[in-house]
Amino acid sequence: MSDHVYKKLEIVGSSPKSIEAAIENAIARAAKTVHNLRWFEVVETRGHLEDGKVSHYQVTLKIGFTLEDD
């Protein structure tokens, strides 16, 4: 196994469907511009309420990716 150096980003994903969908939306969007994604960590979960019901989910993620070699 080779040595790896990681960098972390913090991003927020959202979805009206579920926490899982919010996570997937965030990762899919990050993957469009950040290469070598390796792991994620959910650091905060929250939501928006309307009329006493959950209407939207938000998750704050830390995403780790490996740095490219020169």
Side-chain angles (χ1 to χ4, degrees), residues 6-29:
Y6 297 94
K7 182 163 180 71
K8 291 193 292 187
L9 295 175
E10 186 170 275
I11 62 175
V12 178
S14 63
S15 173
K17 295 179 183 178
S18 67
I19 291 170
E20 290 84 2
I23 292 168
E24 290 174 8
N25 289 342
I27 292 170
R29 178 61 184 88

Side-chain angles (χ1 to χ4, degrees), residues 1-66:
M1 182 174 155
S2 62
D3 294 333
H4 292 286
V5 174
Y6 297 94
K7 182 163 180 71
K8 291 193 292 187
L9 295 175
E10 186 170 275
I11 62 175
V12 178
S14 63
S15 173
K17 295 179 183 178
S18 67
I19 291 170
E20 290 84 2
I23 292 168
E24 290 174 8
N25 289 342
I27 292 170
R29 178 61 184 88
K32 290 182 180 181
T33 56
V34 179
H35 303 288
N36 304 318
L37 297 177
R38 298 291 183 239
W39 53 265
F40 73 94
E41 172 186 2
V42 176
V43 295
E44 187 175 37
T45 305
R46 64 187 164 271
H48 180 73
L49 301 172
E50 288 184 14
D51 300 321
K53 296 181 181 179
V54 176
S55 66
H56 216 86
Y57 300 91
Q58 281 189 331
V59 292
T60 302
L61 304 173
K62 289 186 180 179
I63 296 181
F65 62 97
T66 53

